[in-house]
Amino acid sequence: ELQDQSRHMHTMHASYLRHQALQLAKERAVSQDTHRAVIYQRAREEEAMRCQHQQQKIEAKEERSEAVQAQKMYNIELQKHQLQMRAAEIHRKVKTRESELMMYRYQQADKYEAKRQKAEWLESEKLRMMKEMQQRRQHLSQDEEMFNAALHDIRYSKNVDD
């Protein structure tokens, strides 16, 4: 009976040890599963953070690119505006120069016209005076003829009277 008891105790002890070993193995498995789950969770979180960081870098790069593009567009618009202003200024200067040239031409034409009219007037005065002088010469020669005729008559009648 002692032996039975001893065997029973030994069986109980072996059963207890087996149970303890199984319990330990379960705990280890659970512990490893938990450890693995924690490691996987950390890896997922790290990957998510890496993805988020990459996304932020891409977004920052896109924002910088958009800002650079916007600055380029602004510069192009500014240059375009400056060129339009320059073209308008040149156009205004050309128009001013053209109108100054037209005024100068009109003044020159007026001067020429005034000189031409004065020359015509002088020519007509010269012709009028020449006609007048010719008429006076004719009158003078007629008067001279009349005077000579009268003088001749007077001499003749004086001669006749003597």
Side-chain angles (χ1 to χ4, degrees):
E1 193 171 306
L2 207 57
Q3 224 175 11
D4 276 343
Q5 243 185 356
S6 170
R7 211 178 285 138
H8 180 65
M9 286 292 281
H10 184 66
T11 305
M12 288 276 291
H13 187 62
S15 177
Y16 174 76
L17 286 176
R18 258 195 313 275
H19 177 72
Q20 285 294 95
L22 280 172
Q23 189 64 31
L24 191 62
K26 275 185 192 174
E27 286 175 8
R28 268 197 193 137
V30 167
S31 176
Q32 283 179 346
D33 285 347
T34 305
H35 184 65
R36 205 173 291 124
V38 167
I39 288 174
Y40 287 153
Q41 181 61 30
R42 279 191 197 145
R44 280 194 296 273
E45 288 172 0
E46 286 174 5
E47 184 61 28
M49 286 177 67
R50 263 195 302 278
C51 286
Q52 187 179 2
H53 182 68
Q54 281 300 111
Q55 186 63 33
Q56 287 171 347
K57 278 171 63 175
I58 289 169
E59 287 171 2
K61 195 173 187 179
E62 285 174 353
E63 284 175 11
R64 280 194 305 273
S65 177
E66 286 172 6
V68 166
Q69 197 62 32
Q71 185 63 42
K72 282 181 183 176
M73 290 304 292
Y74 172 78
N75 289 343
I76 288 170
E77 286 299 316
L78 184 65
Q79 286 175 345
K80 185 175 160 186
H81 176 71
Q82 288 171 341
L83 285 174
Q84 287 171 341
M85 295 298 285
R86 178 115 175 81
E89 179 66 23
I90 289 170
H91 182 72
R92 197 166 47 252
K93 283 182 180 176
V94 165
K95 285 291 176 196
T96 301
R97 187 70 184 115
E98 284 175 350
S99 62
E100 286 171 354
L101 226 73
M102 287 301 290
M103 285 299 296
Y104 176 75
R105 286 182 183 147
Y106 287 140
Q107 288 171 350
Q108 291 303 103
D110 287 348
K111 283 181 188 175
Y112 173 78
E113 184 60 23
K115 283 182 181 177
R116 190 188 62 73
Q117 287 176 354
K118 188 173 181 181
E120 281 180 2
W121 180 80
L122 286 172
E123 188 63 27
S124 68
E125 277 298 295
K126 185 172 118 182
L127 288 173
R128 187 187 64 75
M129 289 176 100
M130 284 171 62
K131 277 184 186 174
E132 202 176 288
M133 291 299 285
Q134 190 175 0
Q135 286 174 351
R136 283 185 184 171
R137 277 194 208 108
Q138 281 179 347
H139 289 304
L140 277 175
S141 65
Q142 287 172 358
D143 289 351
E144 190 180 1
E145 282 177 26
M146 284 173 49
F147 177 75
N148 283 337
L151 191 63
H152 184 272
D153 284 349
I154 291 172
R155 282 184 188 156
Y156 180 76
S157 67
K158 194 177 178 189
N159 283 343
V160 170
D161 287 347
D162 283 343

